[in-house]
Amino acid sequence: MKDSPHTPDTSHSAPESLLKKQLVHTTPSFEARWTDLKRDWRREAAPDARRPFWTAWSWRLGLPATLVLALVFSRGLFLTEPGPVHTQLIEEVRMADLTEWDVALDQALPLLDPDLLDTLTLLLAQADPTR
Amino acid sequence: MSEPTPSPENLEPGEDDEAMRQIASGESDAMESIFKRWKLPLLSFFYRATGSHADAEDLTLKTLDRLYRSASRYQNQGRFGPWLFAIARRELSHEWRRLKRKPVRCAPPELLADSLIDHSDGEIRRAMETEEQLLVALRLCSDREREALLLAASDRLDSAGIASALGVKERHLHVILHRARKTLKEAFDSLFS
């Protein structure tokens, strides 16, 4: 850059003095955008641009009602305990899976030793006497 | 091109307070006087901070829009400038991450005061190159140093006003400015070496 014939002469152009050179004009497009912005403000401030009365009331009543309903439904969804059939199904699936894995791993390390298998079967039978 | 802005010495500080009072009471037309007085200081501040004249125009209008919408909260009677530039700094910090990745783009030379000695091609190119070096050097300063330099260069705020806009003590501002000038000069010189 130093060797360029168009390199600016820095000896007389300290950066601070360059900073003092402020913009002195705006562009027509900027002025047009300013006019648009003012128009938007006027439109917002105009009385007929304000929301009708009923919309304010519908917000005031509708929002709390929606929140209450959402709360009731979310409690229903998250706080309801699963039924006994649901629990039993899950237990059965888990036990079946364990047994299956145990068989599959027969030649490898035993997943369930005989004592543990007996204990688990006994516990399940006690939890559900119909088994 | 628009009319040049009134010079700082002709400004009446009370005019801005009065305009803000009118805006708060719903007279949006009062923004016109604020626009006339502050558009060029804002544009210059944003232009040198971002290195892009187009971004400077966007940010100036965003700042004025934010100012309009917060007029009812204005309580800085007599301290309008620092308040306005505090808003400008917030707008700039929102944009800064995006802007940092963009290359500098100089404003057309005719928009800058006294940037040309004459209108020959060589002089225009030389002015543009110098301006570009300045924008690159400014990017090498820290955000706070750059903002302090630009606010000081605008001549619209006194030391107390600049300190207030930056959210620092006036004594601390002098330290920041001293470091900023040193950083800028070193960066500027290194770009030519």
Side-chain angles (χ1 to χ4, degrees):
Chain A
M1 207 177 305
K2 201 175 185 179
D3 300 325
S4 161
H6 302 297
T7 300
D9 176 12
T10 56
S11 58
H12 301 294
S13 56
E16 278 246 48
S17 62
L18 289 171
L19 274 181
K20 294 277 179 192
K21 290 175 184 171
Q22 303 280 295
L23 293 166
V24 287
H25 291 292
T26 54
T27 59
S29 66
F30 176 72
E31 295 292 331
R33 287 174 66 195
W34 165 248
T35 307
D36 291 343
L37 185 60
K38 281 192 296 182
R39 192 181 303 127
D40 290 346
W41 289 338
R42 276 196 214 102
R43 202 174 294 147
E44 281 175 26
D48 56 356
R50 290 180 190 147
R51 280 203 205 111
F53 188 65
W54 63 267
T55 56
W57 275 104
S58 62
W59 269 106
R60 280 176 204 167
L61 294 173
L63 191 62
T66 309
L67 286 174
V68 168
L69 283 173
L71 190 66
V72 167
F73 278 106
S74 64
R75 284 179 71 85
L77 282 173
F78 292 111
L79 298 183
T80 307
E81 289 184 9
V85 176
H86 182 72
T87 312
Q88 188 187 338
L89 276 173
I90 289 173
E91 280 172 356
E92 278 176 3
V93 168
R94 282 178 184 164
M95 191 60 199
D97 286 346
L98 276 173
T99 316
E100 217 169 90
W101 274 95
D102 193 39
V103 172
L105 294 170
D106 187 38
Q107 299 304 315
L109 288 171
L111 186 65
L112 297 173
D113 63 41
D115 289 343
L116 184 55
L117 187 61
D118 289 341
T119 309
L120 282 171
T121 312
L122 182 66
L123 282 171
L124 274 173
Q126 282 172 348
D128 183 7
T130 59
R131 290 168 72 92
Chain B
M1 298 291 165
S2 67
E3 290 292 315
T5 197
S7 59
E9 56 270 24
N10 294 334
L11 289 176
E12 286 288 335
E15 286 179 30
D16 294 318
D17 291 340
E18 175 59 18
M20 290 303 285
R21 193 192 59 72
Q22 291 174 355
I23 295 160
S25 62
E27 295 175 43
S28 64
D29 288 347
M31 276 299 288
E32 189 66 37
S33 64
I34 288 178
F35 177 73
K36 278 185 180 158
R37 281 194 287 274
W38 292 95
K39 62 182 176 182
L40 291 173
L42 282 173
L43 275 169
S44 298
F45 172 75
F46 285 129
Y47 164 58
R48 289 267 164 67
T50 62
S52 159
H53 191 252
D55 288 331
E57 290 189 341
D58 289 347
L59 287 166
T60 299
L61 291 175
K62 276 185 189 172
T63 301
L64 290 168
D65 188 45
R66 188 62 60 94
L67 178 81
Y68 170 77
R69 294 179 192 288
S70 59
S72 58
R73 295 196 298 275
Y74 177 68
Q75 292 177 337
N76 277 25
Q77 272 70 22
R79 309 293 300 159
F80 176 81
W83 196 66
L84 175 66
F85 275 101
I87 295 175
R89 282 187 62 233
R90 279 199 294 277
E91 288 298 324
L92 183 63
S93 67
H94 291 158
E95 293 287 313
W96 189 240
R97 192 179 293 271
R98 188 177 67 82
L99 295 171
K100 258 183 182 166
R101 294 193 293 271
K102 295 171 77 174
V104 296
R105 299 185 70 175
C106 299
E110 64 271 20
L111 295 181
L112 281 161
D114 305 325
S115 62
L116 302 178
I117 299 166
D118 59 47
H119 287 78
S120 65
D121 285 349
E123 285 300 325
I124 289 175
R125 194 180 302 121
R126 185 173 296 192
M128 292 292 279
E129 282 180 6
T130 311
E131 179 67 18
E132 192 178 325
Q133 299 302 330
L134 176 67
L135 295 175
V136 173
L138 276 169
R139 287 197 171 191
L140 298 174
C141 300
S142 72
D143 291 356
R144 178 166 283 185
E145 286 175 348
R146 185 185 318 106
E147 287 170 358
L149 280 171
L150 296 178
L151 291 176
S154 79
D155 280 341
R156 288 300 180 100
L157 304 180
D158 55 16
S159 293
I162 297 170
S164 172
L166 290 174
V168 297
K169 301 268 184 209
E170 203 173 340
R171 197 174 43 196
H172 188 197
L173 172 71
H174 295 305
V175 178
I176 295 171
L177 275 173
H178 176 74
R179 283 187 194 149
R181 286 178 178 129
K182 191 165 173 277
T183 310
L184 181 69
K185 186 162 188 331
E186 285 171 2
F188 193 78
D189 290 345
S190 73
L191 290 168
F192 287 102
S193 61

